């Protein structure tokens, strides 16, 4: 699947300079020559990465960056500008850009950076996903983030909750969850122990989330509540 890139730059020669160095077999390239057009495109499309000049007609790059971050935290932003000072770089990074490249620049180097940033983002995305609204599972570090806060789950609690989340439509019996813990070398546990784990998970979640995400299915077990 091709990745979508938006080039926001008012100098057509620079746009061509960038576009000619990108692999068109893996990227769809969109272009905006002024700030207001860029905002309209960002509102109507989803981009994997945006290259962004600062000094633009109508709306400057900093305002566009704010707009991008209001819409998405995942879109990568590379700011490209002749304003090569610490003040401007600091402002860009404070707004959430991923890189700052001063003009003049090497288009070949920019293409390499774009490739690497997108590859790295995809690697992270495979390990980190939004399981439910405002609940992020980080499988690489075995952590769960709720409303921006890391929750301190025990290894067994993480194992149970992540299993439920990964299989949202499946009901797991207490015996299923007990076997899951045993199979992952956390020792034997009875059904009362599973009840205790579920209780502790719910107590930790309810401090930060406005509903119980684990639903008890009477006589059967537990599943994720998406209602």
């Amino acid at each position: 699947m091709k990745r979508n890139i938006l080039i926001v730059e008012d100098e057509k020669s620079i746009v061509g300079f960038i576009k000619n160095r990108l692999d068109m077999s893996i990227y769809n390239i969109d272009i905006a020559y002024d700030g207001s057009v860029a905002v309209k495109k960002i509102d109507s499309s989803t981009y994997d990465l945006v290259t962004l000049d600062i000094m633009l007609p109508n709306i400057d790059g900093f305002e566009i960056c704010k707009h991008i971050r209001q819409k998405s935290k995942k879109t990568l932003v590379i700011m490209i500008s002749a304003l090569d000072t610490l003040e401007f770089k600091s402002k860009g990074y404070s707004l959430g850009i991923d890189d700052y490249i001063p003009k003049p620049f090497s288009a070949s180097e920019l293409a390499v950076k774009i490739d690497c940033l997108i590859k790295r983002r995809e690697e992270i995305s495979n390990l980190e996903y939004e399981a439910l609204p405002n609940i992020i599972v980080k499988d690489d570090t075995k952590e769960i983030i709720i409303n921006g806060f890391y929750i301190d789950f025990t290894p067994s609690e993480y194992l149970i909750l992540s299993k439920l989340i990964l299989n949202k439509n499946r009901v797991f019996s207490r015996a299923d969850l007990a076997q899951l813990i045993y199979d992952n070398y956390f020792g034997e546990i009875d059904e009362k122990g599973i009840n205790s784990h579920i209780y502790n998970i719910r107590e930790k979640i309810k401090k930060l989330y406005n509903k119980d995400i684990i639903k008890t299915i009477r006589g059967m077990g537990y599943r994720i509540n998406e209602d």
Side-chain angles (χ1 to χ4, degrees):
M1 182 177 67
K2 286 189 174 184
R3 303 295 176 250
N4 298 318
I5 293 177
L6 174 63
I7 300 172
V8 185
E9 170 63 60
D10 62 337
E11 294 186 42
K12 292 185 178 181
S13 60
I14 293 178
V15 171
F17 190 50
I18 297 170
K19 189 175 178 180
N20 289 339
R21 294 300 189 281
L22 295 175
D23 186 346
M24 302 299 286
S25 69
I26 60 174
Y27 297 126
N28 292 315
I29 310 298
D30 208 355
I31 298 164
Y33 293 108
D34 73 64
S36 59
V37 172
V39 168
K40 288 177 182 177
K41 287 180 178 289
I42 289 162
D43 284 342
S44 61
S45 303
T46 299
Y47 295 102
D48 296 285
L49 183 143
V50 177
T51 68
L52 186 58
D53 191 13
I54 295 175
M55 299 174 68
L56 293 162
N58 299 317
I59 304 174
D60 68 46
F62 291 126
E63 290 302 314
I64 295 170
C65 186
K66 289 179 186 177
H67 193 78
I68 292 170
R69 286 293 169 251
Q70 286 170 357
K71 182 183 178 187
S72 171
K73 304 295 184 186
K74 293 183 179 180
T75 300
L76 295 161
V77 179
I78 298 178
M79 194 161 269
I80 303 172
S81 177
L83 301 172
D84 185 18
T85 67
L86 179 59
E87 177 187 357
F88 286 105
K89 289 179 180 179
S90 296
K91 185 173 182 179
Y93 283 115
S94 70
L95 293 173
I97 67 170
D98 298 278
D99 204 348
Y100 191 108
I101 298 177
K103 295 178 181 178
F105 63 94
S106 163
S108 297
E109 181 180 349
L110 173 62
V112 170
K113 287 193 174 189
I114 288 172
D115 291 343
C116 290
L117 279 172
I118 288 179
K119 181 180 178 182
R120 180 59 183 150
R121 174 59 56 86
E122 289 175 349
E123 288 173 349
I124 292 171
S125 296
N126 289 335
L127 297 171
E128 177 179 316
Y129 52 92
E130 189 169 25
L132 293 166
N134 298 314
I135 297 182
I136 295 172
V137 176
K138 299 184 71 172
D139 199 46
D140 56 335
T141 56
K142 308 302 179 190
E143 294 173 310
I144 294 176
I145 306 169
I146 299 178
N147 287 327
F149 292 90
Y150 285 84
I151 307 301
D152 185 21
F153 291 110
T154 68
S156 293
E157 290 167 358
Y158 173 85
L159 191 63
I160 290 169
L161 183 55
S162 62
K163 189 70 171 180
L164 291 170
I165 286 172
L166 283 169
N167 300 271
K168 296 178 187 178
N169 298 318
R170 178 179 167 185
V171 177
F172 286 86
S173 68
R174 293 173 179 82
D176 291 332
L177 297 176
Q179 187 64 45
L180 175 69
I181 289 175
Y182 179 79
D183 289 345
N184 283 270
Y185 308 105
F186 292 125
E188 293 188 23
I189 186 171
D190 60 18
E191 293 189 7
K192 288 184 178 179
I194 294 298
N195 291 344
S196 178
H197 279 314
I198 294 293
Y199 173 81
N200 290 334
I201 292 168
R202 282 171 164 161
E203 287 296 300
K204 291 176 180 180
I205 290 173
K206 77 178 185 180
K207 295 176 183 177
L208 294 168
Y209 209 64
N210 59 7
K211 72 174 184 179
D212 184 3
I213 68 168
I214 300 177
K215 185 172 184 177
T216 301
I217 308 299
R218 189 174 297 278
M220 297 178 68
Y222 305 100
R223 71 168 174 82
I224 290 297
N225 178 21
E226 293 190 274
D227 297 336

